[in-house]
Amino acid sequence: MGNITVSDNVISEIAYRSICSVYGVEPDDKEFKKLRRNISVERTPEDNVIINVKLEAPYGENILEFSKNIMKTITENVSQMTEKVVEAVNVVVIGVSEREFNKNS
């Protein structure tokens, strides 16, 4: 038959849009788009994916719960849209943001 390959860019875009949904931000928000360069995708020998994300947590949020919500949302969306096994989502909180978000959590 043939092969279907999902590129790392597609997986990264799904992760980005997942993060936007948690923050309650539109994906075309100019300031938020900078986050895209903080998302990387690795492949395991079994072609599973590992997604690494560096982001700022909203001030006043429980950082652990916020990070778990990001991990869960990315895992569910990538798995559902690509049928790839998400082996891990690694979240590195690099700061705290004072910006107001419309959080959906």
Side-chain angles (χ1 to χ4, degrees):
M1 196 156 162
N3 293 327
I4 298 174
T5 303
V6 179
S7 78
D8 290 353
N9 288 341
V10 170
I11 293 170
S12 182
E13 181 66 20
I14 294 168
Y16 170 73
R17 289 175 180 265
S18 299
I19 294 167
C20 288
S21 74
V22 171
Y23 276 96
V25 174
E26 289 297 316
D28 58 353
D29 181 298
K30 288 192 187 299
E31 189 177 324
F32 205 74
K33 275 186 176 180
K34 297 173 189 172
L35 177 65
R36 277 193 169 118
R37 64 180 165 229
N38 292 344
I39 301 170
S40 65
V41 178
E42 299 174 36
R43 302 280 181 143
T44 66
E46 301 81 27
D47 202 33
N48 297 338
V49 293
I50 299 170
I51 302 164
N52 301 299
V53 181
K54 295 178 185 172
L55 47 72
E56 292 183 343
Y59 180 78
E61 286 279 315
N62 179 312
I63 293 174
L64 188 59
E65 289 302 314
F66 175 77
S67 299
K68 285 180 180 179
N69 193 13
I70 293 282
M71 296 164 110
K72 179 179 179 258
T73 304
I74 290 174
T75 300
E76 288 173 355
N77 289 341
V78 170
S79 296
Q80 186 256 329
M81 291 183 202
T82 66
E83 295 188 3
K84 290 283 183 197
V85 174
V86 178
E87 201 164 284
V89 176
N90 301 313
V91 175
V92 177
V93 178
I94 58 173
V96 176
S97 175
E98 299 261 346
R99 181 177 170 195
E100 288 292 317
F101 296 105
N102 305 322
K103 296 177 268 322
N104 293 337
S105 49

